[in-house]
Structures are given as C-alpha cells and as structure tokens.
mmCIF file of all heavy atoms in Angstrom:
data_model
loop_
_atom_site.group_PDB
_atom_site.id
_atom_site.type_symbol
_atom_site.label_atom_id
_atom_site.label_comp_id
_atom_site.label_asym_id
_atom_site.label_seq_id
_atom_site.Cartn_x
_atom_site.Cartn_y
_atom_site.Cartn_z
ATOM 1 N N GLY A 1 192.747 202.647 63.892
ATOM 2 C CA GLY A 1 192.334 201.457 63.183
ATOM 3 C C GLY A 1 191.659 200.472 64.105
ATOM 4 O O GLY A 1 191.306 200.792 65.240
ATOM 5 N N LEU A 2 191.482 199.266 63.594
ATOM 6 C CA LEU A 2 190.848 198.185 64.340
ATOM 7 C C LEU A 2 191.923 197.238 64.851
ATOM 8 O O LEU A 2 192.779 196.791 64.083
ATOM 9 C CB LEU A 2 189.863 197.437 63.446
ATOM 10 C CG LEU A 2 189.187 196.198 64.026
ATOM 11 C CD1 LEU A 2 188.303 196.575 65.207
ATOM 12 C CD2 LEU A 2 188.380 195.491 62.948
ATOM 13 N N VAL A 3 191.869 196.933 66.133
ATOM 14 C CA VAL A 3 192.859 196.057 66.738
ATOM 15 C C VAL A 3 192.177 195.151 67.758
ATOM 16 O O VAL A 3 191.170 195.532 68.357
ATOM 17 C CB VAL A 3 193.991 196.876 67.399
ATOM 18 C CG1 VAL A 3 193.455 197.689 68.571
ATOM 19 C CG2 VAL A 3 195.136 195.981 67.831
ATOM 20 N N GLN A 4 192.710 193.963 67.934
ATOM 21 C CA GLN A 4 192.172 193.039 68.924
ATOM 22 C C GLN A 4 192.597 193.451 70.330
ATOM 23 O O GLN A 4 193.633 194.092 70.519
ATOM 24 C CB GLN A 4 192.656 191.619 68.651
ATOM 25 C CG GLN A 4 192.199 191.035 67.333
ATOM 26 C CD GLN A 4 192.719 189.629 67.118
ATOM 27 O OE1 GLN A 4 192.710 188.801 68.035
ATOM 28 N NE2 GLN A 4 193.165 189.350 65.913
ATOM 29 N N ALA A 5 191.790 193.087 71.303
ATOM 30 C CA ALA A 5 192.143 193.351 72.692
ATOM 31 C C ALA A 5 193.517 192.775 73.003
ATOM 32 O O ALA A 5 193.845 191.655 72.610
ATOM 33 C CB ALA A 5 191.096 192.765 73.628
ATOM 34 N N GLY A 6 194.325 193.561 73.703
ATOM 35 C CA GLY A 6 195.689 193.168 74.008
ATOM 36 C C GLY A 6 196.705 193.632 72.989
ATOM 37 O O GLY A 6 197.918 193.556 73.242
ATOM 38 N N GLY A 7 196.235 194.131 71.865
ATOM 39 C CA GLY A 7 197.119 194.595 70.814
ATOM 40 C C GLY A 7 197.588 196.019 71.031
ATOM 41 O O GLY A 7 197.297 196.645 72.053
ATOM 42 N N SER A 8 198.305 196.537 70.034
ATOM 43 C CA SER A 8 198.910 197.857 70.144
ATOM 44 C C SER A 8 198.637 198.695 68.905
ATOM 45 O O SER A 8 198.463 198.169 67.801
ATOM 46 C CB SER A 8 200.427 197.742 70.329
ATOM 47 O OG SER A 8 200.756 197.053 71.516
ATOM 48 N N LEU A 9 198.620 199.991 69.094
ATOM 49 C CA LEU A 9 198.548 200.961 68.017
ATOM 50 C C LEU A 9 199.418 202.147 68.389
ATOM 51 O O LEU A 9 199.610 202.433 69.570
ATOM 52 C CB LEU A 9 197.117 201.450 67.781
ATOM 53 C CG LEU A 9 196.130 200.535 67.058
ATOM 54 C CD1 LEU A 9 194.744 201.155 67.084
ATOM 55 C CD2 LEU A 9 196.575 200.289 65.623
ATOM 56 N N ARG A 10 199.929 202.840 67.388
ATOM 57 C CA ARG A 10 200.654 204.073 67.617
ATOM 58 C C ARG A 10 200.022 205.186 66.806
ATOM 59 O O ARG A 10 199.959 205.115 65.576
ATOM 60 C CB ARG A 10 202.137 203.946 67.244
ATOM 61 C CG ARG A 10 202.946 205.192 67.621
ATOM 62 C CD ARG A 10 204.401 205.077 67.252
ATOM 63 N NE ARG A 10 204.606 205.099 65.809
ATOM 64 C CZ ARG A 10 205.787 205.262 65.220
ATOM 65 N NH1 ARG A 10 206.883 205.412 65.975
ATOM 66 N NH2 ARG A 10 205.887 205.251 63.901
ATOM 67 N N LEU A 11 199.543 206.195 67.496
ATOM 68 C CA LEU A 11 198.966 207.356 66.854
ATOM 69 C C LEU A 11 200.040 208.413 66.638
ATOM 70 O O LEU A 11 200.915 208.597 67.475
ATOM 71 C CB LEU A 11 197.840 207.951 67.703
ATOM 72 C CG LEU A 11 196.721 207.000 68.125
ATOM 73 C CD1 LEU A 11 195.642 207.773 68.881
ATOM 74 C CD2 LEU A 11 196.127 206.275 66.928
ATOM 75 N N SER A 12 199.964 209.091 65.513
ATOM 76 C CA SER A 12 200.897 210.160 65.196
ATOM 77 C C SER A 12 200.132 211.455 64.978
ATOM 78 O O SER A 12 199.013 211.451 64.472
ATOM 79 C CB SER A 12 201.702 209.832 63.937
ATOM 80 O OG SER A 12 202.476 208.670 64.100
ATOM 81 N N CYS A 13 200.754 212.554 65.346
ATOM 82 C CA CYS A 13 200.168 213.874 65.155
ATOM 83 C C CYS A 13 201.271 214.814 64.698
ATOM 84 O O CYS A 13 202.245 215.031 65.424
ATOM 85 C CB CYS A 13 199.526 214.364 66.455
ATOM 86 S SG CYS A 13 198.803 216.013 66.370
ATOM 87 N N THR A 14 201.115 215.368 63.512
ATOM 88 C CA THR A 14 202.119 216.251 62.937
ATOM 89 C C THR A 14 201.579 217.668 62.836
ATOM 90 O O THR A 14 200.474 217.884 62.333
ATOM 91 C CB THR A 14 202.559 215.758 61.552
ATOM 92 O OG1 THR A 14 203.124 214.449 61.665
ATOM 93 C CG2 THR A 14 203.604 216.688 60.957
ATOM 94 N N ALA A 15 202.365 218.616 63.313
ATOM 95 C CA ALA A 15 201.976 220.018 63.302
ATOM 96 C C ALA A 15 202.609 220.741 62.124
ATOM 97 O O ALA A 15 203.738 220.451 61.724
ATOM 98 C CB ALA A 15 202.391 220.697 64.601
ATOM 99 N N SER A 16 201.879 221.693 61.585
ATOM 100 C CA SER A 16 202.394 222.529 60.514
ATOM 101 C C SER A 16 201.940 223.966 60.733
ATOM 102 O O SER A 16 201.107 224.243 61.592
ATOM 103 C CB SER A 16 201.937 222.022 59.147
ATOM 104 O OG SER A 16 200.525 222.069 59.029
ATOM 105 N N GLY A 17 202.487 224.871 59.942
ATOM 106 C CA GLY A 17 202.199 226.277 60.112
ATOM 107 C C GLY A 17 203.288 226.954 60.927
ATOM 108 O O GLY A 17 204.126 226.291 61.541
ATOM 109 N N ARG A 18 203.262 228.251 60.934
ATOM 110 C CA ARG A 18 204.272 229.003 61.674
ATOM 111 C C ARG A 18 204.022 228.909 63.172
ATOM 112 O O ARG A 18 202.924 229.189 63.653
ATOM 113 C CB ARG A 18 204.269 230.465 61.241
ATOM 114 C CG ARG A 18 204.850 230.692 59.851
ATOM 115 C CD ARG A 18 205.050 232.165 59.574
ATOM 116 N NE ARG A 18 205.718 232.396 58.301
ATOM 117 C CZ ARG A 18 206.102 233.582 57.863
ATOM 118 N NH1 ARG A 18 205.864 234.659 58.591
ATOM 119 N NH2 ARG A 18 206.703 233.696 56.689
ATOM 120 N N THR A 19 205.052 228.507 63.874
ATOM 121 C CA THR A 19 204.990 228.388 65.324
ATOM 122 C C THR A 19 206.095 229.245 65.931
ATOM 123 O O THR A 19 207.277 229.018 65.668
ATOM 124 C CB THR A 19 205.150 226.935 65.760
ATOM 125 O OG1 THR A 19 204.118 226.144 65.163
ATOM 126 C CG2 THR A 19 205.044 226.824 67.273
ATOM 127 N N PHE A 20 205.713 230.214 66.729
ATOM 128 C CA PHE A 20 206.669 231.129 67.346
ATOM 129 C C PHE A 20 206.799 230.933 68.844
ATOM 130 O O PHE A 20 207.570 231.632 69.496
ATOM 131 C CB PHE A 20 206.275 232.582 67.041
ATOM 132 C CG PHE A 20 206.224 232.894 65.581
ATOM 133 C CD1 PHE A 20 205.020 232.951 64.911
ATOM 134 C CD2 PHE A 20 207.391 233.128 64.880
ATOM 135 C CE1 PHE A 20 204.969 233.233 63.558
ATOM 136 C CE2 PHE A 20 207.360 233.413 63.524
ATOM 137 C CZ PHE A 20 206.134 233.464 62.858
ATOM 138 N N SER A 21 206.048 230.000 69.379
ATOM 139 C CA SER A 21 206.095 229.708 70.802
ATOM 140 C C SER A 21 206.110 228.205 71.014
ATOM 141 O O SER A 21 205.629 227.442 70.182
ATOM 142 C CB SER A 21 204.887 230.304 71.529
ATOM 143 O OG SER A 21 204.827 231.710 71.368
ATOM 144 N N SER A 22 206.664 227.800 72.129
ATOM 145 C CA SER A 22 206.610 226.396 72.500
ATOM 146 C C SER A 22 205.191 226.034 72.932
ATOM 147 O O SER A 22 204.397 226.912 73.297
ATOM 148 C CB SER A 22 207.601 226.109 73.628
ATOM 149 O OG SER A 22 207.296 226.887 74.771
ATOM 150 N N TYR A 23 204.877 224.754 72.876
ATOM 151 C CA TYR A 23 203.531 224.342 73.223
ATOM 152 C C TYR A 23 203.532 222.927 73.775
ATOM 153 O O TYR A 23 204.314 222.085 73.354
ATOM 154 C CB TYR A 23 202.595 224.433 72.011
ATOM 155 C CG TYR A 23 203.117 223.748 70.760
ATOM 156 C CD1 TYR A 23 202.820 222.425 70.488
ATOM 157 C CD2 TYR A 23 203.904 224.446 69.845
ATOM 158 C CE1 TYR A 23 203.299 221.804 69.342
ATOM 159 C CE2 TYR A 23 204.381 223.836 68.700
ATOM 160 C CZ TYR A 23 204.073 222.514 68.454
ATOM 161 O OH TYR A 23 204.544 221.899 67.316
ATOM 162 N N GLY A 24 202.646 222.709 74.716
ATOM 163 C CA GLY A 24 202.396 221.372 75.188
ATOM 164 C C GLY A 24 201.418 220.685 74.256
ATOM 165 O O GLY A 24 200.644 221.331 73.552
ATOM 166 N N MET A 25 201.449 219.373 74.253
ATOM 167 C CA MET A 25 200.546 218.596 73.406
ATOM 168 C C MET A 25 199.746 217.630 74.257
ATOM 169 O O MET A 25 200.284 217.001 75.167
ATOM 170 C CB MET A 25 201.319 217.827 72.341
ATOM 171 C CG MET A 25 201.947 218.705 71.271
ATOM 172 S SD MET A 25 200.690 219.510 70.214
ATOM 173 C CE MET A 25 199.892 218.071 69.479
ATOM 174 N N GLY A 26 198.480 217.535 73.948
ATOM 175 C CA GLY A 26 197.601 216.635 74.667
ATOM 176 C C GLY A 26 196.908 215.662 73.742
ATOM 177 O O GLY A 26 196.765 215.908 72.538
ATOM 178 N N TRP A 27 196.517 214.549 74.303
ATOM 179 C CA TRP A 27 195.691 213.564 73.617
ATOM 180 C C TRP A 27 194.388 213.415 74.386
ATOM 181 O O TRP A 27 194.395 213.242 75.610
ATOM 182 C CB TRP A 27 196.393 212.206 73.528
ATOM 183 C CG TRP A 27 197.581 212.197 72.608
ATOM 184 C CD1 TRP A 27 198.880 212.400 72.933
ATOM 185 C CD2 TRP A 27 197.560 211.947 71.198
ATOM 186 N NE1 TRP A 27 199.678 212.307 71.827
ATOM 187 C CE2 TRP A 27 198.896 212.028 70.742
ATOM 188 C CE3 TRP A 27 196.549 211.666 70.276
ATOM 189 C CZ2 TRP A 27 199.242 211.837 69.401
ATOM 190 C CZ3 TRP A 27 196.895 211.477 68.944
ATOM 191 C CH2 TRP A 27 198.228 211.564 68.530
ATOM 192 N N PHE A 28 193.288 213.496 73.673
ATOM 193 C CA PHE A 28 191.960 213.317 74.236
ATOM 194 C C PHE A 28 191.224 212.252 73.438
ATOM 195 O O PHE A 28 191.593 211.943 72.306
ATOM 196 C CB PHE A 28 191.175 214.630 74.208
ATOM 197 C CG PHE A 28 191.724 215.701 75.114
ATOM 198 C CD1 PHE A 28 192.837 216.440 74.746
ATOM 199 C CD2 PHE A 28 191.124 215.974 76.327
ATOM 200 C CE1 PHE A 28 193.355 217.423 75.567
ATOM 201 C CE2 PHE A 28 191.620 216.959 77.167
ATOM 202 C CZ PHE A 28 192.737 217.679 76.788
ATOM 203 N N ARG A 29 190.178 211.713 74.024
ATOM 204 C CA ARG A 29 189.367 210.742 73.296
ATOM 205 C C ARG A 29 187.903 210.941 73.642
ATOM 206 O O ARG A 29 187.556 211.450 74.705
ATOM 207 C CB ARG A 29 189.797 209.302 73.610
ATOM 208 C CG ARG A 29 189.560 208.861 75.051
ATOM 209 C CD ARG A 29 190.175 207.496 75.288
ATOM 210 N NE ARG A 29 189.964 207.030 76.651
ATOM 211 C CZ ARG A 29 190.536 205.949 77.165
ATOM 212 N NH1 ARG A 29 191.362 205.210 76.422
ATOM 213 N NH2 ARG A 29 190.285 205.600 78.416
ATOM 214 N N GLN A 30 187.060 210.529 72.712
ATOM 215 C CA GLN A 30 185.624 210.639 72.913
ATOM 216 C C GLN A 30 184.939 209.399 72.366
ATOM 217 O O GLN A 30 185.054 209.092 71.179
ATOM 218 C CB GLN A 30 185.066 211.895 72.246
ATOM 219 C CG GLN A 30 183.609 212.159 72.570
ATOM 220 C CD GLN A 30 183.175 213.553 72.168
ATOM 221 O OE1 GLN A 30 183.742 214.152 71.260
ATOM 222 N NE2 GLN A 30 182.175 214.076 72.852
ATOM 223 N N ALA A 31 184.254 208.693 73.238
ATOM 224 C CA ALA A 31 183.479 207.525 72.862
ATOM 225 C C ALA A 31 182.033 207.936 72.644
ATOM 226 O O ALA A 31 181.577 208.953 73.182
ATOM 227 C CB ALA A 31 183.579 206.454 73.943
ATOM 228 N N PRO A 32 181.263 207.165 71.866
ATOM 229 C CA PRO A 32 179.863 207.503 71.626
ATOM 230 C C PRO A 32 179.084 207.674 72.919
ATOM 231 O O PRO A 32 179.146 206.831 73.814
ATOM 232 C CB PRO A 32 179.347 206.307 70.822
ATOM 233 C CG PRO A 32 180.557 205.783 70.126
ATOM 234 C CD PRO A 32 181.679 205.963 71.119
ATOM 235 N N GLY A 33 178.369 208.776 73.025
ATOM 236 C CA GLY A 33 177.549 209.035 74.192
ATOM 237 C C GLY A 33 178.306 209.483 75.418
ATOM 238 O O GLY A 33 177.702 209.628 76.491
ATOM 239 N N LYS A 34 179.611 209.710 75.304
ATOM 240 C CA LYS A 34 180.410 210.119 76.442
ATOM 241 C C LYS A 34 181.097 211.453 76.167
ATOM 242 O O LYS A 34 181.259 211.863 75.018
ATOM 243 C CB LYS A 34 181.460 209.058 76.781
ATOM 244 C CG LYS A 34 180.884 207.705 77.146
ATOM 245 C CD LYS A 34 181.964 206.716 77.523
ATOM 246 C CE LYS A 34 182.663 207.113 78.807
ATOM 247 N NZ LYS A 34 183.673 206.089 79.223
ATOM 248 N N GLU A 35 181.486 212.123 77.239
ATOM 249 C CA GLU A 35 182.203 213.388 77.121
ATOM 250 C C GLU A 35 183.635 213.147 76.669
ATOM 251 O O GLU A 35 184.220 212.091 76.919
ATOM 252 C CB GLU A 35 182.199 214.123 78.460
ATOM 253 C CG GLU A 35 180.827 214.566 78.937
ATOM 254 C CD GLU A 35 180.257 215.667 78.081
ATOM 255 O OE1 GLU A 35 181.027 216.558 77.659
ATOM 256 O OE2 GLU A 35 179.054 215.645 77.817
ATOM 257 N N ARG A 36 184.187 214.139 76.003
ATOM 258 C CA ARG A 36 185.588 214.067 75.635
ATOM 259 C C ARG A 36 186.436 214.075 76.905
ATOM 260 O O ARG A 36 186.220 214.898 77.798
ATOM 261 C CB ARG A 36 185.956 215.247 74.738
ATOM 262 C CG ARG A 36 187.360 215.187 74.176
ATOM 263 C CD ARG A 36 187.580 216.259 73.113
ATOM 264 N NE ARG A 36 186.670 216.092 71.989
ATOM 265 C CZ ARG A 36 186.721 216.832 70.881
ATOM 266 N NH1 ARG A 36 187.635 217.781 70.753
ATOM 267 N NH2 ARG A 36 185.835 216.622 69.913
ATOM 268 N N GLU A 37 187.393 213.163 76.984
ATOM 269 C CA GLU A 37 188.199 213.044 78.183
ATOM 270 C C GLU A 37 189.686 213.123 77.876
ATOM 271 O O GLU A 37 190.150 212.712 76.815
ATOM 272 C CB GLU A 37 187.898 211.728 78.920
ATOM 273 C CG GLU A 37 188.304 210.476 78.171
ATOM 274 C CD GLU A 37 188.184 209.213 78.999
ATOM 275 O OE1 GLU A 37 188.114 209.304 80.237
ATOM 276 O OE2 GLU A 37 188.165 208.115 78.400
ATOM 277 N N PHE A 38 190.424 213.623 78.834
ATOM 278 C CA PHE A 38 191.872 213.696 78.736
ATOM 279 C C PHE A 38 192.472 212.305 78.798
ATOM 280 O O PHE A 38 192.048 211.471 79.598
ATOM 281 C CB PHE A 38 192.425 214.554 79.873
ATOM 282 C CG PHE A 38 193.906 214.453 80.043
ATOM 283 C CD1 PHE A 38 194.765 215.124 79.189
ATOM 284 C CD2 PHE A 38 194.455 213.687 81.054
ATOM 285 C CE1 PHE A 38 196.134 215.033 79.334
ATOM 286 C CE2 PHE A 38 195.822 213.585 81.213
ATOM 287 C CZ PHE A 38 196.660 214.264 80.347
ATOM 288 N N VAL A 39 193.459 212.053 77.965
ATOM 289 C CA VAL A 39 194.156 210.774 77.945
ATOM 290 C C VAL A 39 195.614 210.938 78.356
ATOM 291 O O VAL A 39 196.093 210.263 79.268
ATOM 292 C CB VAL A 39 194.088 210.109 76.559
ATOM 293 C CG1 VAL A 39 194.887 208.802 76.549
ATOM 294 C CG2 VAL A 39 192.646 209.858 76.160
ATOM 295 N N ALA A 40 196.335 211.816 77.676
ATOM 296 C CA ALA A 40 197.755 211.996 77.940
ATOM 297 C C ALA A 40 198.178 213.398 77.548
ATOM 298 O O ALA A 40 197.568 214.033 76.695
ATOM 299 C CB ALA A 40 198.586 210.964 77.173
ATOM 300 N N GLY A 41 199.242 213.867 78.174
ATOM 301 C CA GLY A 41 199.816 215.155 77.836
ATOM 302 C C GLY A 41 201.321 215.086 77.904
ATOM 303 O O GLY A 41 201.890 214.257 78.615
ATOM 304 N N ILE A 42 201.980 215.959 77.154
ATOM 305 C CA ILE A 42 203.436 215.999 77.150
ATOM 306 C C ILE A 42 203.890 217.439 77.010
ATOM 307 O O ILE A 42 203.364 218.196 76.186
ATOM 308 C CB ILE A 42 204.012 215.093 76.035
ATOM 309 C CG1 ILE A 42 205.539 215.060 76.092
ATOM 310 C CG2 ILE A 42 203.509 215.526 74.657
ATOM 311 C CD1 ILE A 42 206.145 213.972 75.221
ATOM 312 N N SER A 43 204.847 217.838 77.830
ATOM 313 C CA SER A 43 205.364 219.198 77.784
ATOM 314 C C SER A 43 206.160 219.424 76.510
ATOM 315 O O SER A 43 206.515 218.481 75.793
ATOM 316 C CB SER A 43 206.244 219.467 79.009
ATOM 317 O OG SER A 43 207.414 218.662 78.974
ATOM 318 N N TRP A 44 206.467 220.688 76.214
ATOM 319 C CA TRP A 44 207.212 221.016 74.998
ATOM 320 C C TRP A 44 208.562 220.302 74.965
ATOM 321 O O TRP A 44 208.991 219.840 73.904
ATOM 322 C CB TRP A 44 207.403 222.534 74.902
ATOM 323 C CG TRP A 44 208.180 222.957 73.693
ATOM 324 C CD1 TRP A 44 207.708 223.126 72.433
ATOM 325 C CD2 TRP A 44 209.578 223.253 73.633
ATOM 326 N NE1 TRP A 44 208.713 223.518 71.584
ATOM 327 C CE2 TRP A 44 209.881 223.602 72.293
ATOM 328 C CE3 TRP A 44 210.606 223.266 74.574
ATOM 329 C CZ2 TRP A 44 211.161 223.954 71.880
ATOM 330 C CZ3 TRP A 44 211.885 223.615 74.160
ATOM 331 C CH2 TRP A 44 212.146 223.951 72.837
#
C-alpha cells in the first residue's frame, strides 16, 4: 500500500498446495528501471 516516510507496513505471504519438503522463504523487490534485488530471507 501507500505509506508516509517513517511509517510501517507488514507484508504477508501464504503458501498453498501439497508440500513434501521444507523450504526457505525469500523476499525480493523490484523498482521501476531497476533489477530485482534480494531483501530478506528466512530458513524453514
């Protein structure tokens, strides 16, 4: 969403489907005219 500088947001990501293995999760971001970049990662 839209937030003022200094503010906060919480993004959520929900997985579905059959999962038979553990997995790490990553967050990436892409700004206009820029390459997609790594932001954060978390182990299973």
Side-chain angles (χ1 to χ4, degrees):
L2 175 64
V3 65
Q4 297 180 43
S8 298
L9 284 173
R10 186 180 69 167
L11 306 184
S12 298
C13 178
T14 300
S16 62
R18 288 190 175 185
T19 301
F20 301 101
S21 301
S22 60
Y23 51 91
M25 291 292 298
W27 291 94
F28 293 78
R29 66 187 180 189
Q30 187 167 26
K34 299 182 67 176
E35 295 291 321
R36 186 170 299 185
E37 66 172 342
F38 167 78
V39 177
I42 184 168
S43 66
W44 179 82

